[in-house]
Amino acid sequence: MADAVIPDALAFELAELWGTQDVPAVKRTIVVGVVVGTILLGLVAIAIGWIIPRIFLAGSRRSQVLIVGINGSGKTSLFSLLKHGKIMETRSSMVENEGAFTIHSNCLKQVSEPLQKRALSAAGTVTLVDLPGHDKLRLRVLEKLPQAKRVVVMLDASTIFQKQRPVAELLTDILVERSISRDAVPVLVVCNKQDDLMAQPAAKVKELLASEMDRIRSTRAAGVDRQDGDAGGSPDEFLGVEGEPFTFDQISNEVEFVELSLLAVAHHMGASGGSGGDANGGGVADAGGVSDDDEEATAASFERLVSFVLAVPKKK
């Protein structure tokens, strides 16, 4: 085979170059080298063909920023404000709102110049999804999590003492989902309605939720407590460290808590008046009741919220 494939002239030249008189051996070496090289190139091509599509698929699979929360937390108000620059009248919905994220000019004016440039350059590259907050639609939230690049959890900080259980259950369901845990998908917990006198600060909300999630973890591990919409299964991942009280430091995900008043943001940009909507989610917004202190206190948090949606790293 080697005699038929390798020209004699080439074989003699290589034999002389290698300092040998065994021309047939040189031919066999060339053939083996060609065969081995072809096999290696084929393996490399197969590896590239298998790996690269999966890299792109992984990137496209996680292209959504989910806005989740129980009813009345301000999810749809946030979606409306970011997308349309104003608060529209909202009511409990059974369907999600979804659209390519291009921040409205009204919102753009509320953030720093570097973030404005980032927002304009990233226009249309992120899909914003506002998911229904009804308990019976929890499965829809869980089904969306594998597509989530980032998750925004909205909550009403003025009713957290009464609603800490359902909020903690939702946050637990998100964090134990296998792909969210495995890929350490970042989560931003927005403690909304800070303009309300009963609103709790972010540190207190974080403490309350960690304690409640520890209790939920214990009862679920014992098989006592299970979400109705949990598709009949136990949580994908154990939350935190067994044998220790749960804290957010125990998990791979970065879970950040910020204080915000959508009412204050909307009032500052003049986006709540006349729209009939409630910037905080539920009822009619009274923009005149927002103080200058409320607006100043929420400015940094709104900047952080927009940064989070656009995947801008948190300032150290």
Side-chain angles (χ1 to χ4, degrees):
M1 176 182 175
D3 290 337
V5 174
I6 308 301
D8 290 339
L10 176 60
F12 279 115
E13 287 184 12
L14 288 175
E16 184 177 351
L17 181 64
W18 294 346
T20 179
Q21 300 297 320
D22 192 351
V23 175
V26 170
K27 290 185 175 182
R28 288 193 296 272
T29 301
I30 295 173
V31 170
V32 170
V34 170
V35 171
V36 171
T38 302
I39 292 173
L40 289 175
L41 286 174
L43 291 174
V44 169
I46 291 172
I48 292 175
W50 187 84
I51 293 172
I52 289 182
R54 280 158 179 77
I55 292 175
F56 284 108
L57 283 174
S60 63
R61 186 167 61 243
R62 291 206 176 280
S63 61
Q64 298 180 348
V65 175
L66 304 185
I67 304 176
V68 303
I70 65 173
N71 282 343
S73 58
K75 301 180 309 300
T76 304
S77 293
L78 174 61
F79 180 88
S80 173
L81 191 67
L82 291 174
K83 284 280 295 175
H84 307 297
K86 61 181 179 179
I87 301 300
M88 299 181 177
E89 186 173 0
T90 63
R91 53 179 59 88
S92 295
S93 174
M94 303 296 280
V95 296
E96 62 254 28
N97 296 303
E98 182 173 335
F101 177 59
T102 301
I103 188 169
H104 194 274
S105 58
N106 285 351
C107 295
L108 209 57
K109 297 173 185 176
Q110 310 306 312
V111 299
S112 63
E113 186 175 343
L115 189 56
Q116 290 179 15
K117 294 178 180 178
R118 179 66 177 262
L120 291 172
S121 65
T125 62
V126 175
T127 300
L128 204 60
V129 183
D130 160 36
L131 291 165
H134 198 285
D135 285 346
K136 293 189 179 298
L137 298 177
R138 181 68 53 81
L139 184 58
R140 187 175 299 175
V141 174
L142 301 180
E143 289 173 345
K144 279 283 189 179
L145 289 177
Q147 287 82 49
K149 183 177 183 180
R150 293 173 166 249
V151 181
V152 177
V153 179
M154 297 290 293
L155 62 84
D156 181 349
S158 69
T159 61
I160 189 62
F161 284 112
Q162 300 94 323
K163 301 291 182 67
Q164 66 186 76
R165 182 70 178 193
V167 173
E169 286 177 337
L170 173 61
L171 190 51
T172 298
D173 286 342
I174 291 169
L175 293 174
V176 299
E177 203 279 332
R178 191 176 302 278
S179 70
I180 295 292
S181 173
R182 180 194 63 218
D183 297 341
V185 173
V187 177
L188 182 70
V189 181
V190 179
C191 305
N192 189 26
K193 307 194 183 183
Q194 289 296 321
D195 53 279
D196 193 301
L197 292 176
M198 299 301 293
Q200 298 301 309
K204 183 62 176 180
V205 172
K206 184 177 182 179
E207 176 189 332
L208 290 170
L209 290 180
S211 297
E212 192 65 35
M213 291 166 72
D214 185 61
R215 288 188 285 271
I216 292 171
R217 180 181 66 173
S218 298
T219 53
R220 288 188 180 184
V224 175
D225 186 23
R226 185 173 290 169
Q227 282 292 333
D228 292 338
D230 195 14
S234 58
D236 288 332
E237 301 286 345
F238 186 84
L239 189 65
V241 179
E242 290 192 63
E244 297 183 13
F246 172 73
T247 67
F248 289 99
D249 294 334
Q250 296 170 352
I251 59 178
S252 59
N253 310 73
E254 180 183 3
V255 182
E256 184 182 350
F257 286 73
V258 297
E259 299 171 7
L260 185 69
S261 168
L262 285 179
L263 179 61
V265 175
H267 176 54
H268 187 264
M269 67 175 64
S272 62
S275 67
D278 174 6
N280 280 332
V284 178
D286 178 13
V290 181
S291 69
D292 291 339
D293 289 341
D294 288 331
E295 294 181 13
E296 291 176 6
T298 204
S301 292
F302 186 69
E303 172 106 359
R304 178 60 196 138
L305 171 61
V306 175
S307 299
F308 181 85
V309 171
L310 296 173
V312 176
K314 181 181 179 181
K315 294 180 180 179
K316 300 297 184 182

